[in-house]
Coordinates of all heavy atoms in Angstrom, one line a residue:
T6 N 11.4 2.8 -2.1 CA 11.5 1.9 -3.2 C 12.3 2.6 -4.3 O 13.2 2.0 -4.9 CB 10.1 1.4 -3.7 OG1 9.5 0.6 -2.7 CG2 10.3 0.6 -5.0
Q7 N 11.8 3.8 -4.7 CA 12.5 4.5 -5.7 C 14.0 4.8 -5.4 O 14.9 4.7 -6.3 CB 11.8 5.9 -6.0 CG 10.3 5.7 -6.3 CD 10.0 5.1 -7.6 OE1 10.9 4.6 -8.3 NE2 8.7 5.0 -8.0
F8 N 14.2 5.1 -4.1 CA 15.6 5.3 -3.7 C 16.5 4.0 -3.9 O 17.6 4.1 -4.4 CB 15.6 5.7 -2.2 CG 17.0 5.6 -1.5 CD1 17.9 6.6 -1.8 CD2 17.3 4.6 -0.6 CE1 19.2 6.5 -1.2 CE2 18.5 4.5 0.0 CZ 19.5 5.4 -0.3
L9 N 16.0 2.9 -3.5 CA 16.7 1.6 -3.6 C 16.9 1.2 -5.1 O 18.0 0.7 -5.5 CB 16.0 0.5 -2.9 CG 16.0 0.7 -1.3 CD1 15.2 -0.4 -0.7 CD2 17.5 0.7 -0.8
L10 N 15.9 1.5 -5.9 CA 16.0 1.1 -7.3 C 17.0 2.1 -8.0 O 17.6 1.7 -9.0 CB 14.6 1.2 -8.0 CG 13.6 0.1 -7.6 CD1 12.3 0.3 -8.3 CD2 14.2 -1.3 -7.8
D11 N 17.1 3.3 -7.6 CA 18.1 4.2 -8.1 C 19.5 3.8 -7.6 O 20.5 4.1 -8.3 CB 17.8 5.6 -7.6 CG 16.7 6.3 -8.4 OD1 16.4 5.8 -9.5 OD2 16.1 7.2 -7.9
R12 N 19.6 3.2 -6.4 CA 20.8 2.9 -5.8 C 21.6 1.7 -6.5 O 22.8 1.8 -6.7 CB 20.6 2.5 -4.3 CG 21.8 2.2 -3.5 CD 21.4 1.8 -2.1 NE 22.5 1.6 -1.2 CZ 23.1 0.4 -1.0 NH1 22.7 -0.6 -1.7 NH2 24.1 0.3 -0.1
Q13 N 20.8 0.7 -7.0 CA 21.4 -0.4 -7.6 C 20.4 -1.2 -8.4 O 19.2 -1.0 -8.2 CB 22.2 -1.3 -6.6 CG 21.2 -2.1 -5.7 CD 22.0 -2.8 -4.6 OE1 22.3 -2.2 -3.5 NE2 22.3 -4.0 -4.8
Q14 N 20.9 -2.2 -9.2 CA 20.0 -3.1 -9.9 C 19.8 -4.4 -9.1 O 20.6 -4.8 -8.3 CB 20.5 -3.4 -11.2 CG 20.6 -2.3 -12.2 CD 20.9 -2.7 -13.6 OE1 21.2 -3.8 -13.9 NE2 21.0 -1.7 -14.5
F15 N 18.6 -5.0 -9.3 CA 18.2 -6.3 -8.6 C 17.7 -7.3 -9.6 O 16.9 -6.9 -10.5 CB 17.2 -6.0 -7.5 CG 17.6 -5.0 -6.4 CD1 17.2 -3.7 -6.5 CD2 18.4 -5.4 -5.4 CE1 17.6 -2.7 -5.6 CE2 18.8 -4.4 -4.4 CZ 18.4 -3.1 -4.5
D16 N 17.9 -8.5 -9.3 CA 17.2 -9.6 -10.1 C 15.8 -9.6 -9.6 O 14.8 -9.8 -10.4 CB 17.9 -10.9 -9.9 CG 19.2 -11.0 -10.6 OD1 19.2 -10.8 -11.8 OD2 20.2 -11.2 -9.9
V17 N 15.6 -9.6 -8.3 CA 14.2 -9.6 -7.7 C 14.1 -8.5 -6.6 O 15.0 -8.3 -5.8 CB 14.0 -11.0 -7.0 CG1 12.6 -11.0 -6.3 CG2 14.1 -12.1 -8.0
F18 N 13.0 -7.8 -6.7 CA 12.8 -6.7 -5.7 C 11.4 -6.9 -5.1 O 10.4 -7.1 -5.9 CB 12.9 -5.3 -6.3 CG 12.8 -4.2 -5.2 CD1 14.0 -3.8 -4.6 CD2 11.6 -3.7 -4.9 CE1 13.9 -2.8 -3.6 CE2 11.5 -2.7 -3.9 CZ 12.7 -2.2 -3.3
M19 N 11.2 -6.7 -3.8 CA 9.9 -6.9 -3.1 C 9.7 -5.7 -2.1 O 10.6 -5.4 -1.4 CB 9.8 -8.2 -2.4 CG 8.5 -8.4 -1.7 SD 8.3 -10.1 -1.0 CE 6.7 -10.0 -0.3
V20 N 8.5 -5.1 -2.2 CA 8.1 -4.1 -1.2 C 6.7 -4.5 -0.7 O 5.9 -5.0 -1.5 CB 8.1 -2.7 -1.8 CG1 7.3 -2.6 -3.1 CG2 7.7 -1.7 -0.8
V21 N 6.4 -4.2 0.5 CA 5.1 -4.5 1.1 C 4.5 -3.1 1.6 O 5.2 -2.4 2.3 CB 5.2 -5.5 2.2 CG1 3.8 -5.6 2.9 CG2 5.6 -6.9 1.7
F22 N 3.2 -2.9 1.3 CA 2.5 -1.8 1.8 C 1.5 -2.2 2.9 O 0.8 -3.2 2.7 CB 1.7 -1.1 0.7 CG 2.6 -0.4 -0.4 CD1 2.9 -1.1 -1.5 CD2 3.1 0.8 -0.2 CE1 3.7 -0.5 -2.5 CE2 3.9 1.4 -1.1 CZ 4.2 0.7 -2.3
N23 N 1.5 -1.5 4.0 CA 0.7 -2.0 5.2 C -0.5 -1.2 5.4 O -1.4 -1.5 6.3 CB 1.6 -1.9 6.5 CG 2.8 -2.7 6.4 OD1 3.9 -2.1 6.3 ND2 2.7 -4.0 6.5
G24 N -0.7 -0.1 4.7 CA -1.8 0.9 5.0 C -3.2 0.2 5.1 O -4.0 0.6 5.9
L25 N -3.5 -0.6 4.1 CA -4.8 -1.2 4.0 C -5.1 -2.1 5.2 O -6.2 -2.1 5.8 CB -4.9 -2.0 2.7 CG -6.3 -2.7 2.5 CD1 -7.4 -1.6 2.4 CD2 -6.3 -3.5 1.2
D26 N -4.1 -2.8 5.7 CA -4.2 -3.7 6.8 C -4.5 -2.8 8.1 O -5.4 -3.1 8.9 CB -3.0 -4.5 7.0 CG -3.1 -5.5 8.2 OD1 -3.8 -6.5 8.1 OD2 -2.5 -5.1 9.3
W27 N -3.7 -1.8 8.3 CA -3.9 -0.9 9.4 C -5.3 -0.3 9.4 O -6.0 -0.3 10.4 CB -2.9 0.2 9.4 CG -1.5 -0.3 9.7 CD1 -1.1 -1.4 10.4 CD2 -0.3 0.3 9.2 NE1 0.3 -1.5 10.4 CE2 0.8 -0.5 9.7 CE3 0.0 1.5 8.5 CZ2 2.1 -0.1 9.4 CZ3 1.3 1.8 8.2 CH2 2.4 1.0 8.7
A28 N -5.7 0.2 8.2 CA -7.0 0.8 8.1 C -8.1 -0.2 8.4 O -9.1 0.1 9.0 CB -7.2 1.4 6.7
G29 N -8.0 -1.4 7.9 CA -9.0 -2.4 8.1 C -9.2 -2.8 9.5 O -10.3 -3.3 9.9
H30 N -8.2 -2.7 10.4 CA -8.3 -3.0 11.8 C -9.1 -1.9 12.5 O -9.7 -2.2 13.5 CB -6.9 -3.1 12.4 CG -6.3 -4.4 12.2 ND1 -6.7 -5.6 12.8 CD2 -5.2 -4.8 11.4 CE1 -5.9 -6.6 12.5 NE2 -5.0 -6.1 11.6
G31 N -9.1 -0.7 12.0 CA -9.7 0.4 12.7 C -11.0 0.9 12.1 O -11.8 1.6 12.8
Y32 N -11.2 0.6 10.8 CA -12.4 1.1 10.1 C -13.1 0.0 9.4 O -12.5 -0.8 8.7 CB -12.0 2.2 9.1 CG -11.4 3.4 9.8 CD1 -10.0 3.5 9.9 CD2 -12.2 4.5 10.3 CE1 -9.4 4.6 10.5 CE2 -11.6 5.6 10.9 CZ -10.2 5.7 11.0 OH -9.6 6.8 11.6
P33 N -14.4 -0.1 9.5 CA -15.1 -1.2 8.8 C -15.2 -0.9 7.3 O -15.3 0.2 6.9 CB -16.5 -1.1 9.4 CG -16.7 0.3 9.8 CD -15.3 0.8 10.3
C34 N -15.1 -1.9 6.5 CA -15.3 -1.9 5.1 C -16.6 -2.5 4.7 O -16.8 -3.7 4.7 CB -14.2 -2.6 4.3 SG -12.5 -1.8 4.6
H35 N -17.6 -1.6 4.5 CA -19.0 -2.1 4.2 C -19.1 -2.4 2.7 O -18.4 -1.8 1.8 CB -20.0 -1.2 4.7 CG -20.0 -0.9 6.1 ND1 -20.2 -1.9 7.1 CD2 -19.7 0.2 6.8 CE1 -20.1 -1.4 8.3 NE2 -19.8 -0.1 8.2
D36 N -20.1 -3.2 2.3 CA -20.4 -3.5 0.9 C -20.7 -2.2 0.1 O -20.5 -2.2 -1.1 CB -21.6 -4.5 0.8 CG -21.2 -5.9 1.2 OD1 -19.9 -6.1 1.3 OD2 -22.0 -6.7 1.4
N37 N -21.3 -1.2 0.8 CA -21.6 0.0 0.0 C -20.7 1.1 0.3 O -21.0 2.3 0.1 CB -23.1 0.4 0.4 CG -23.2 0.7 1.9 OD1 -22.3 0.5 2.6 ND2 -24.4 1.2 2.2
D38 N -19.5 0.8 0.8 CA -18.5 1.8 1.3 C -17.6 2.2 0.2 O -16.5 1.7 0.0 CB -17.7 1.3 2.5 CG -16.8 2.3 3.1 OD1 -17.0 3.5 2.7 OD2 -15.9 1.9 3.9
D39 N -18.1 3.1 -0.7 CA -17.3 3.6 -1.8 C -16.4 4.8 -1.5 O -15.6 5.2 -2.2 CB -18.2 4.0 -3.0 CG -18.5 2.8 -3.9 OD1 -18.0 1.7 -3.6 OD2 -19.3 2.9 -4.8
E40 N -16.7 5.4 -0.3 CA -15.9 6.6 0.1 C -15.2 6.4 1.4 O -14.8 7.4 2.0 CB -16.9 7.8 0.1 CG -17.7 8.1 -1.1 CD -16.8 8.4 -2.3 OE1 -15.7 8.9 -2.1 OE2 -17.2 8.1 -3.5
G41 N -15.1 5.2 1.8 CA -14.5 4.9 3.2 C -13.0 5.0 3.2 O -12.3 5.1 2.2
V42 N -12.5 4.9 4.4 CA -11.1 4.9 4.7 C -10.3 3.8 4.0 O -9.3 4.0 3.4 CB -10.8 4.9 6.2 CG1 -9.3 4.8 6.5 CG2 -11.3 6.2 6.9
C43 N -10.9 2.6 4.0 CA -10.2 1.5 3.4 C -10.0 1.7 1.9 O -8.9 1.5 1.4 CB -11.0 0.2 3.6 SG -11.0 -0.4 5.3
L44 N -11.0 2.1 1.2 CA -10.9 2.4 -0.2 C -9.9 3.5 -0.5 O -9.1 3.5 -1.4 CB -12.3 2.7 -0.8 CG -12.3 3.1 -2.3 CD1 -11.7 2.1 -3.2 CD2 -13.7 3.5 -2.8
E45 N -10.0 4.6 0.3 CA -9.1 5.7 0.1 C -7.6 5.3 0.2 O -6.8 5.7 -0.6 CB -9.4 6.8 1.1 CG -8.6 8.1 0.9 CD -9.0 9.2 1.9 OE1 -10.0 9.0 2.6 OE2 -8.3 10.2 1.9
V46 N -7.4 4.5 1.2 CA -6.0 4.0 1.4 C -5.6 3.0 0.3 O -4.5 3.1 -0.3 CB -5.9 3.3 2.8 CG1 -4.5 2.6 2.9 CG2 -6.1 4.2 3.9
M47 N -6.5 2.2 -0.2 CA -6.2 1.2 -1.2 C -6.0 2.0 -2.6 O -5.1 1.6 -3.4 CB -7.3 0.2 -1.4 CG -7.0 -0.9 -2.4 SD -5.5 -1.8 -2.1 CE -4.9 -2.1 -3.7
Q48 N -6.7 3.1 -2.8 CA -6.5 3.8 -4.0 C -5.1 4.5 -4.0 O -4.4 4.6 -5.1 CB -7.5 4.9 -4.2 CG -8.9 4.3 -4.6 CD -10.0 5.4 -4.8 OE1 -10.2 6.1 -3.8 NE2 -10.6 5.4 -5.9
S49 N -4.6 4.9 -2.8 CA -3.2 5.4 -2.8 C -2.2 4.4 -3.1 O -1.2 4.6 -3.7 CB -3.0 6.1 -1.4 OG -2.8 5.1 -0.4
I50 N -2.5 3.1 -2.6 CA -1.5 2.0 -2.9 C -1.6 1.7 -4.4 O -0.5 1.4 -5.0 CB -1.9 0.8 -2.0 CG1 -1.7 1.0 -0.6 CG2 -1.2 -0.5 -2.5 CD1 -2.2 -0.1 0.4
D51 N -2.7 1.8 -5.0 CA -2.8 1.6 -6.4 C -2.0 2.6 -7.2 O -1.3 2.2 -8.2 CB -4.3 1.7 -6.8 CG -4.5 1.3 -8.3 OD1 -4.3 0.1 -8.6 OD2 -4.9 2.2 -9.1

């Protein structure tokens, strides 16, 4: 994303992050899961 934004200007730019979806398929996200894989991945996306 940073490379493309340095390359040129855009009226509209869109990027998609997949990590949370991949993690959710392989690891459960429980109601009390504050230290789980899903949260860790989502914090990196944040």
Side-chain angles (χ1 to χ4, degrees):
T6 295
Q7 304 293 2
F8 166 74
L9 293 175
L10 292 178
D11 284 337
R12 184 179 183 273
Q13 68 187 88
Q14 294 189 358
F15 303 98
D16 290 300
V17 179
F18 186 88
M19 181 175 181
V20 57
V21 172
F22 293 98
N23 302 107
L25 182 62
D26 181 78
W27 294 333
H30 280 286
Y32 297 92
C34 294
H35 300 295
D36 287 346
N37 59 353
D38 184 12
D39 275 356
E40 305 298 333
V42 171
C43 292
L44 175 57
E45 187 177 352
V46 171
M47 185 60 216
Q48 286 181 304
S49 73
I50 294 174
D51 187 67

